[in-house]
């Protein structure tokens, strides 16, 4: 009797969900037969999905328990063979499923999908390691991460060695925490450094932006050029803040689109031949980067396949290149260089070559053929340990020919279909002879093999795409029509269209069309130094036109075609969200295209949000584990999800919906987290102890939102009280909360921890760990050592232990140069930044677009917390929250609080009183400007708290009386609070040093 595969999968899905996680140990014969049948059915449906231009992973999403049990019972080393045999049987029965250019199955992909399926079911099962998967390149987690440009230079990546199934890397980017899985992490914007801790606990530090130079350099393949070496006299890419200045020959600058998240920066392709040195306008005066005359280290000759990329976007060489050794002017030939060819992650070199400076080597001559997969060349001077690395992905003898050199946008969305034909002129073969790309397919996975090894690569034909900029920040590139909220047009918005250069001989127009009628046309900006095919259209001129329209289309008029590139909405994406069977349903859906929803569990605000694709009917599928976790926050986003890790959503955004009446029967996690979830749901008491501190921080920081969404009303106050009781342990435990400094600051103010007295640093190593993940709390823990940064003779650094000296080295990295000036007892170099006065009054009268332009430069280059840019950014946040702050500033006790602070500081603290009065906004024009006094109160409360932490009993009593005023201010202006706590600590420390001297 024939078995219906759908019924087979449905029955097994139900049975395996009831049975729970896969058992360990030997597999029963009956289970082995059932697993083989399920495996074949899954492969068939994945081929059918590929044939129908649907995502393959929808099969695993529909039958997650089948995916988990199949991978678990198939045994890790046997999985590649079993999947390949099942695929062969399916294609033998249905040859038409293989005619679509479908890529072969990867056991690594199955393992990753099964792990994700287990997570959706709430199971703790982990997929077997993919180390035996011959498709995946062999890597070692011992390799350090590498900074590079992403595919198409659309992002900046930190590549992470190892397999995704091996576990998460813990990243700290300037004190903000991210949990990321290999192969890479997309940087959400400029940061000074990233500390990456792999699954084995090894920490790698990657310097990203040096504020002094504000310049990053990448070679032609997108790999980062070592920042402590001169730039090569070759064509490279420079990512810089401000305009580029050079000395010597004309570099021939061509500006490329800004990478994702790097607002205010410019990516330029330059030729440095004849250039002597380079600097960015935003760099510190005199911070030039030299260009090395002579020959740089790099590849020469060879040929790449423009339509094939490695797994990290690297080019694939089908004719291996030669290696040019570096040479400086006047360098003697006797100073030999050595080049070692290796496989990434392998210590034993495949070949060694030695040559004089500037020599051209064939590094592949002693490497066994065929040349296939990733290689790395380690180059160093003979006798030196310092090595420079070059990487190359080789596929010797492979050819590729597309049906079109460029895929244009289709009139109704997507791209024109195309095909890529591959050939082999040797032992290296490709898994498919022809690769077909449908409307919305940009890349397809191929497998290149030589009979022994196999490596996955990506096939991609250059194509047109569109990108939206909101508030000056570039979003993702997309081949689908963009969904644009009309409220965003009034801000600094623009739309960039990428076309082949020959398509812009006649300037394409951007048209606003309503019900078939063209109401407005736009011409692109005249940007002569940019790539000719990248056209940028500012959209602010459309704001007034679309105000009275329910919906309008944005079309590109090019070559006689009218191409839909975006839709403008004047209403929210949806009106409401309600439960619908085993998922959610959006009511009043107005979004016409691709839509993504991020779901946040209210009773587990520490959990990573669930990202789901919304179908055309407005339905959001929910895994079984998410159907009983209680209220949900649903954050809707047009298009595909952004590569950056999502933060906590803003409830005031009109495209953020809340499902308050959702059943809660089980927690989304286990252990202490589950008990905290029960507490938020109104069951049980708040868990105490060290393992509960990180959860208490998160609940206290996000308590106002949690209360509004149905969590226990008393939760924020009880968590703040519990943290205060924990004392220094609470500050140390903040490292596990993954909260931003601003979120930490609001809790420090409300809990009284900002006034906690720390008498000594008992464990410098533990505090240094906190510096990486919660630097604001680490600063308070390090307070007893700060006087040693004052250069006062009474505080000799030589008295400290080496661990304490290392701890002090973190202070300047977080605080910036201004902190060293303050600790030395000198005047605050940026005292006027953050004060609201007459200029702020004028700023409030400007339109939103002009307000943003005034503050646009803040935080373009990441600097210390007390540097002017960081303070201006914090003040801008408070300015935007002025309507909320106005309510608190008009209370009668607000003025009493200011008077109490002034009286205290005038009584024996002249330097602190001067800093406090420096925030006075002056004469106000009516009660409606009371919010301008908020920065003064914020700094005053911080000064009192840090005086209390220094042991002043009178200040401790005043701090308790001011806490109810400071807490709401800190919740609305958290970044300003973080700046003020830090500033107050430096001022109080300087005062203590001065009094001691």
């Amino acid at each position: 009797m024939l078995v219906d595969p759908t019924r087979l999968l449905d029955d097994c899905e139900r049975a395996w969900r009831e049975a729970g996680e896969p058992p360990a140990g030997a597999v029963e014969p009956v289970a082995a037969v059932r697993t083989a049948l399920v495996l074949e059915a899954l492969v068939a449906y994945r081929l059918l999905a590929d044939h129908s231009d649907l995502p393959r992973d929808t099969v695993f999403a529909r039958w997650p328990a089948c995916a988990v049990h199949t991978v678990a019972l198939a045994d890790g080393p046997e999985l590649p063979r079993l999947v390949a045999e099942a695929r062969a049987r399916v294609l033998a029965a249905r040859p038409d499923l293989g005619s679509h250019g479908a890529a072969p199955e990867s056991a690594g992909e199955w393992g990753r999908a099964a792990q994700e399926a287990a997570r959706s079911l709430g199971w703790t099962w982990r997929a077997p390691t993919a180390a035996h998967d011959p498709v995946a390149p062999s890597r070692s987690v011992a390799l350090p991460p590498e900074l590079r440009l992403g595919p198409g230079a659309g992002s900046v990546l930190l590549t992470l060695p190892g397999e995704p199934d091996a576990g998460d890397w813990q990243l700290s980017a300037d004190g903000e925490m991210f949990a990321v899985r290999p192969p890479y992490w997309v940087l959400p914007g400029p940061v000074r450094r990233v500390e990456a801790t792999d699954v084995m606990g090894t920490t790698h530090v990657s310097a990203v932006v040096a504020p002094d130079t504000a310049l990053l350099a990448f070679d032609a393949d997108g790999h980062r050029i070592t920042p402590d070496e001169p730039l090569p006299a070759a064509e490279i890419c420079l990512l810089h803040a401000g305009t580029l200045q050079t000395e010597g020959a004309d570099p021939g600058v061509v500006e490329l689109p800004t990478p994702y998240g790097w607002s205010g920066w410019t990516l330029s392709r330059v030729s440095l031949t004849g250039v002597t040195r380079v600097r960015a306008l935003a760099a510190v005066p005199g911070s030039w980067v030299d260009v090395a005359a002579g020959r740089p280290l790099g590849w020469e000759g060879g040929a790449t396949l423009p339509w094939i990329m490695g797994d990290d976007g690297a080019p694939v060489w089908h004719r291996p290149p030669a290696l040019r050794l570096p040479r400086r002017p006047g360098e003697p030939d006797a100073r030999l260089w050595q080049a070692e060819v290796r496989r990434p992650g392998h210590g034993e070199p495949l070949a060694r070559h030695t040559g004089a400076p500037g020599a051209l080597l064939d590094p592949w001559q002693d490497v066994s053929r065929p040349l296939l997969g990733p290689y790395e060349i380690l180059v160093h001077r003979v006798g030196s340990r310092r090595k420079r690395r070059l990487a190359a992905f080789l596929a010797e003898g492979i050819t590729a020919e597309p049906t079109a050199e460029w895929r244009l946008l289709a009139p109704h969305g997507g791209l024109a279909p195309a095909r890529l034909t591959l050939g082999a002129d040797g032992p290296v073969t490709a898994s498919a002879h022809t690769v077909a790309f449908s409307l919305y397919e940009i890349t397809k996975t191929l497998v290149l093999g030589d009979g022994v090894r196999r490596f996955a690569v990506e096939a991609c034909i250059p194509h047109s795409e569109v990108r939206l900029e909101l508030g000056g920040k570039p979003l993702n590139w997309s081949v689908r029509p963009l969904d644009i909220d009309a409220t965003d047009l009034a801000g600094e918005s623009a739309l960039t269209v990428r076309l082949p250069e020959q398509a812009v001989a006649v300037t394409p127009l951007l048209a606003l069309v309503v019900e078939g009628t063209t109401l407005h046309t736009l011409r692109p900006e005249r940007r002569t130094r940019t790539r000719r095919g990248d056209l940028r259209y500012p959209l602010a001129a459309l704001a007034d036109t679309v105000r009275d329209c329910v919906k309008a289309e944005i079309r590109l008029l090019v070559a006689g075609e009218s191409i839909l590139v975006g839709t403008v909405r004047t209403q929210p994406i949806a009106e409401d969200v309600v439960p619908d069977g085993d998922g959610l349903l959006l009511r009043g859906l107005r979004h016409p295209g691709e839509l993504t929803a991020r779901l946040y569990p209210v009773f587990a605000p520490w959990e990573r949000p669930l990202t789901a694709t919304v179908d055309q009917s407005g339905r959001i599928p929910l895994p079984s584990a998410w159907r009983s976790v209680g209220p949900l926050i649903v954050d809707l986003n047009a298009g595909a999800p952004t590569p950056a890790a999502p933060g906590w959503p803003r409830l005031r955004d009109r495209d953020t919906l809340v499902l308050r009446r959702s059943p809660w029967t089980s927690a989304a996690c286990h252990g202490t987290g589950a008990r905290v979830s029960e507490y938020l749901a109104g069951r049980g008491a708040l868990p105490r102890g060290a393992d509960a501190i990180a959860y208490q921080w998160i609940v206290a920081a996000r308590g106002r939102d949690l209360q509004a969404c149905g969590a226990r009303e008393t939760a924020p106050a009880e968590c703040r009280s519990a943290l205060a009781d924990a004392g220094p342990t609470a500050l140390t435990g903040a490292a596990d909360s993954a909260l931003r400094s601003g979120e930490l600051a609001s809790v420090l103010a409300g809990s009284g921890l900002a006034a906690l007295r720390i008498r000594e640093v008992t464990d410098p190593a533990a505090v240094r760990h906190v510096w990486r993940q919660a630097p604001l709390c680490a600063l308070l823990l390090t307070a007893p050592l700060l006087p040693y940064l004052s250069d006062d003779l009474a505080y000799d650094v030589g008295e400290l232990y080496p661990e304490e000296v290392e701890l002090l080295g973190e202070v300047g990295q977080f605080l910036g140069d201004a902190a060293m000036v303050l600790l030395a007892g000198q005047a605050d170099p940026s005292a006027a930044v953050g004060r609201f006065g007459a200029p702020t009054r004028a700023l409030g009268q400007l339109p939103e677009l002009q307000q943003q332009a005034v503050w646009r430069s803040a935080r373009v280059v990441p600097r210390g917390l007390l540097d002017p840019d960081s303070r201006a950014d914090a003040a801008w946040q408070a300015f935007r929250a002025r309507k909320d702050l106005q309510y608190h500033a008009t209370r009668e006790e607000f003025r009493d609080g200011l008077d109490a602070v002034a009286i205290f500081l005038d009584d024996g603290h002249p330097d602190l009183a001067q800093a406090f009065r420096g925030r006075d906004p002056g004469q106000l024009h009516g009660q409606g400007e009371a919010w301008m006094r908020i920065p003064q109160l914020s700094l005053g409360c911080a000064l009192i708290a840090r005086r209390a932490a220094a042991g002043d009993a009178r200040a401790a009593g005043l701090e308790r009386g001011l806490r109810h005023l400071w807490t709401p201010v800190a919740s609305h202006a958290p970044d300003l609070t973080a700046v003020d706590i830090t500033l107050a600590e430096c001022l109080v420390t300087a005062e203590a040093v001065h009094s001691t001297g």
Side-chain angles (χ1 to χ4, degrees):
M1 182 180 67
L2 295 177
V3 178
D4 179 4
T6 302
R7 182 173 179 180
L8 169 69
L9 291 173
D10 287 342
D11 290 344
C12 290
E13 179 72 17
R14 183 167 52 256
W16 275 331
R17 286 194 185 197
E18 293 175 356
E21 301 187 18
V27 180
E28 295 292 333
V30 175
V33 173
R34 179 173 57 181
T35 302
L37 290 174
V38 170
L39 177 66
E40 190 169 326
L42 290 175
V43 169
Y45 274 108
R46 282 169 61 80
L47 284 170
L48 186 61
D50 199 52
H51 188 76
S52 304
D53 296 326
L54 296 174
R56 283 184 170 188
D57 286 348
T58 56
V59 178
F60 291 139
R62 180 175 176 182
W63 296 293
C66 290
V68 173
H69 277 263
T70 300
V71 172
L73 300 180
D75 187 26
E78 291 295 312
L79 184 61
R81 178 183 62 82
L82 295 175
V83 170
E85 291 176 354
R87 185 176 189 272
R89 289 194 298 270
V90 172
L91 291 179
R94 288 284 302 276
D96 58 302
L97 294 181
S99 63
H100 194 60
E105 297 286 352
S106 162
E109 182 184 355
W110 277 65
R112 289 188 292 272
Q115 186 62 53
E116 185 62 34
R119 188 180 298 110
S120 71
L121 294 168
W123 294 351
T124 60
W125 173 88
R126 298 195 61 83
T129 177
H132 301 285
D133 182 8
V135 176
S138 176
R139 292 184 175 179
S140 170
V141 293
L143 288 174
E146 180 192 7
L147 201 70
R148 62 160 299 145
L149 287 177
S155 59
V156 179
L157 309 179
L158 186 72
T159 61
L160 302 174
E163 293 299 322
D165 296 334
D168 290 347
W169 285 59
Q170 301 300 318
L171 306 185
S172 172
D174 287 351
E176 291 193 35
M177 295 300 299
F178 302 90
V180 185
R181 293 201 168 191
Y184 59 80
W185 176 57
V186 177
L187 271 69
V191 294
R192 287 166 292 169
R193 67 174 180 178
V194 178
E195 297 191 11
T197 303
D198 61 28
V199 294
M200 303 301 294
T202 304
T203 299
H204 312 268
V205 179
S206 298
V208 183
V209 174
D212 289 347
T213 58
L215 182 76
L216 285 78
F218 302 89
D219 63 20
D221 293 341
H223 295 276
R224 173 83 179 275
I225 297 173
T226 307
D228 57 353
E229 293 191 2
L231 300 177
E235 184 172 277
I236 63 173
C237 287
L238 296 177
L239 185 58
H240 50 95
T243 57
L244 204 59
Q245 299 175 335
T246 61
E247 290 185 356
D250 183 4
V253 178
V254 176
E255 293 183 7
L256 304 176
T258 306
Y260 170 82
W262 289 70
S263 177
W265 287 65
T266 304
L267 180 64
S268 300
R269 186 171 62 240
V270 300
S271 176
L272 296 183
T273 303
V275 176
T276 57
R277 57 181 188 166
V278 179
R279 76 178 294 269
L281 185 62
V284 173
S287 296
W288 290 85
V289 180
D290 293 327
V291 178
R295 293 186 178 275
L297 173 68
W299 303 116
E300 287 192 17
T304 61
L305 295 168
W307 308 284
I308 306 293
M309 300 178 297
D311 59 351
D312 60 353
V316 173
W317 299 82
H318 69 108
R319 286 207 308 272
L323 176 67
R324 175 70 69 178
L325 295 176
R327 182 173 194 137
R328 301 275 181 87
E331 188 175 8
D333 291 341
R335 299 190 65 185
L336 298 180
W337 289 84
Q338 186 174 84
E340 298 179 353
V341 184
R342 303 172 184 248
R343 286 284 190 184
H346 291 72
E348 188 65 27
L350 302 175
R352 284 193 181 94
H353 304 278
T354 304
L360 190 67
L361 302 180
D362 178 8
W364 320 105
Q365 61 181 357
D366 297 330
V367 180
S368 59
R369 259 46 179 191
L371 298 175
L372 174 64
Y375 296 87
E376 63 180 12
I377 312 291
L378 301 181
V379 181
H380 61 94
R381 291 188 186 277
V382 174
S384 172
R385 293 184 177 182
R386 185 178 181 182
K387 297 182 180 181
R388 300 168 63 182
R389 176 179 175 271
L390 285 178
F393 193 107
L394 305 184
E396 197 172 20
I398 290 291
T399 61
E401 183 177 352
T403 55
E405 296 287 334
W406 187 281
R407 298 178 65 195
L408 295 170
L409 292 168
H412 301 292
L415 297 171
R419 289 180 179 273
L420 184 66
T421 302
L422 288 95
D425 188 21
V428 178
T429 59
S431 57
H433 176 67
T434 302
V435 180
F437 298 91
S438 60
L439 280 176
Y440 296 109
E441 286 183 322
I442 300 174
T443 63
K444 277 208 167 180
T445 301
L446 286 168
V447 176
L448 304 180
D450 60 2
V452 178
R453 296 178 300 272
R454 296 190 298 159
F455 298 93
V457 296
E458 299 286 336
C460 177
I461 298 175
H463 55 276
S464 296
E465 49 195 344
V466 293
R467 181 171 73 173
L468 189 64
E469 295 178 28
L470 297 179
K473 297 181 180 180
L475 304 183
N476 283 338
W477 287 100
S478 176
V479 298
R480 297 176 181 270
L482 300 174
D483 178 84
I484 306 170
D485 193 322
T487 57
D488 292 327
L489 294 180
E492 188 182 358
S493 60
L495 188 144
T496 300
V497 182
R498 173 166 288 175
L499 297 171
E501 294 194 9
Q502 59 270 25
V504 295
V506 177
T507 304
L509 298 178
L510 202 66
L512 181 71
V513 181
V514 177
E515 296 180 354
T517 303
T518 300
L519 301 184
H520 206 300
T521 58
L522 300 174
R523 299 180 67 86
E525 290 179 335
R526 295 181 61 85
R527 308 175 82 191
T528 57
R529 300 177 65 182
T530 61
R531 179 187 174 276
R532 288 189 62 228
D534 292 330
L535 306 177
R536 186 176 183 271
Y537 300 84
L539 300 178
L542 305 179
D544 291 335
T545 307
V546 301
R547 186 168 298 161
D548 297 326
C549 304
V550 175
K551 187 173 71 173
E553 293 181 344
I554 297 181
R555 290 187 167 270
L556 183 71
L557 309 180
V558 56
E561 293 280 354
S562 176
I563 299 172
L564 179 64
V565 294
T567 302
V568 181
R569 288 180 295 102
T570 58
Q571 297 173 307
I573 291 177
E575 296 177 356
D576 193 12
V577 60
V578 295
D580 180 51
D582 57 356
L584 304 178
L585 180 66
L586 297 177
R587 294 196 298 195
L589 181 64
R590 303 182 182 92
H591 180 73
E594 186 178 17
L595 183 62
T596 302
R598 286 198 179 98
L599 281 69
Y600 299 77
V602 173
F603 293 161
W606 48 84
E607 286 292 319
R608 187 180 301 178
L610 173 69
T611 301
T613 300
V614 184
D615 64 21
Q616 293 297 319
S617 64
R619 195 171 185 279
I620 305 173
L622 278 184
S624 59
W626 279 73
R627 296 170 198 162
S628 56
V629 295
L632 295 172
I633 300 175
V634 182
D635 185 33
L636 302 177
N637 298 274
T642 58
W648 185 251
R650 284 173 49 90
L651 293 190
R652 292 191 176 185
D653 290 346
R654 67 179 189 177
D655 290 329
T656 298
L657 307 175
V658 180
L659 182 68
R660 291 179 173 84
R661 295 184 178 180
S662 181
W664 184 87
T665 56
S666 61
C669 50
H670 303 281
T672 304
R675 290 190 287 121
V676 177
S677 291
E678 292 179 4
Y679 163 76
L680 290 175
R683 306 179 185 180
L686 175 67
R688 301 292 183 115
D691 57 345
I693 287 177
Y695 301 101
Q696 293 168 359
W697 275 101
I698 296 171
V699 174
R702 298 168 179 170
R704 291 172 64 247
D705 288 348
L706 301 181
Q707 287 174 331
C709 296
R712 184 193 291 253
E713 282 288 331
T714 58
E718 291 184 11
C719 285
R720 289 195 296 265
S721 176
L723 291 171
D725 293 341
T729 305
L731 296 178
T732 306
D736 298 324
S737 68
L739 294 173
R740 294 175 51 253
S741 291
E743 293 178 296
L744 293 171
S746 66
V747 182
L748 289 172
S751 64
L753 286 173
L756 180 67
R757 188 175 188 186
I758 307 294
R759 297 178 181 273
E760 62 176 336
V761 182
T762 57
D763 189 352
V767 177
R768 195 176 183 196
H769 170 71
V770 182
W771 270 108
R772 299 190 182 111
Q773 301 180 355
L776 186 61
C777 292
L779 174 67
L780 304 188
L781 290 167
T782 312
L785 299 178
L786 293 184
Y788 289 91
L789 293 174
S790 65
D791 292 331
D792 190 276
L793 295 178
Y795 296 94
D796 183 5
V797 178
E799 301 174 354
L800 301 178
Y801 291 107
E803 296 85 357
E804 294 174 325
V805 176
E806 290 181 3
L807 190 60
L808 287 178
E810 302 284 350
V811 177
Q813 175 73 24
F814 175 63
L815 302 188
D817 296 336
M820 303 300 114
V821 175
L822 291 169
L823 290 171
Q826 301 177 32
D828 186 356
S830 305
V833 181
R835 171 181 174 268
F836 290 162
T840 313
R841 183 178 295 114
L843 180 64
Q845 304 302 318
L846 296 176
E848 177 74 13
L849 181 60
Q850 297 181 38
Q851 290 177 7
Q852 291 180 3
V854 172
W855 297 90
R856 188 184 309 157
S857 61
R859 300 289 286 171
V860 168
V861 179
R863 302 187 187 274
L865 190 61
L866 293 186
D867 287 334
D869 287 354
S870 300
R871 295 202 210 182
D873 188 52
W876 170 238
Q877 181 194 70
F879 174 79
R880 297 192 66 180
R882 60 191 182 278
K883 292 182 180 178
D884 295 316
L885 295 172
Q886 173 70 12
Y887 167 77
H888 302 284
T890 54
R891 296 163 61 185
E892 182 178 350
E893 54 188 343
F894 183 89
R895 185 69 194 187
D896 295 339
L898 285 174
D899 292 340
V901 173
I903 293 171
F904 175 90
L905 296 179
D906 286 339
D907 186 13
H909 305 283
D911 293 338
L912 303 186
Q914 182 180 357
F916 173 70
R917 298 193 189 283
R919 287 279 185 90
D920 190 339
Q923 186 66 35
L924 301 182
H925 294 179
Q927 189 69 2
E929 290 186 348
W931 59 270
M932 287 190 178
R933 297 193 184 277
I934 288 293
Q936 187 179 24
L937 177 78
S938 177
L939 179 58
C941 291
L943 289 169
I944 297 300
R946 295 317 294 159
R947 279 296 310 163
D952 189 323
R954 181 183 167 198
L958 181 55
E959 185 274 333
R960 288 190 292 271
L962 293 172
R963 195 178 301 173
H964 72 289
L965 296 177
W966 196 16
T967 300
V969 168
S971 66
H972 290 296
D975 289 352
L976 181 67
T977 306
V979 168
D980 287 341
I981 291 175
T982 306
L983 179 60
E985 176 56 39
C986 292
L987 292 172
V988 169
T989 298
E991 181 189 56
V993 171
H994 177 73
S995 62
T996 302

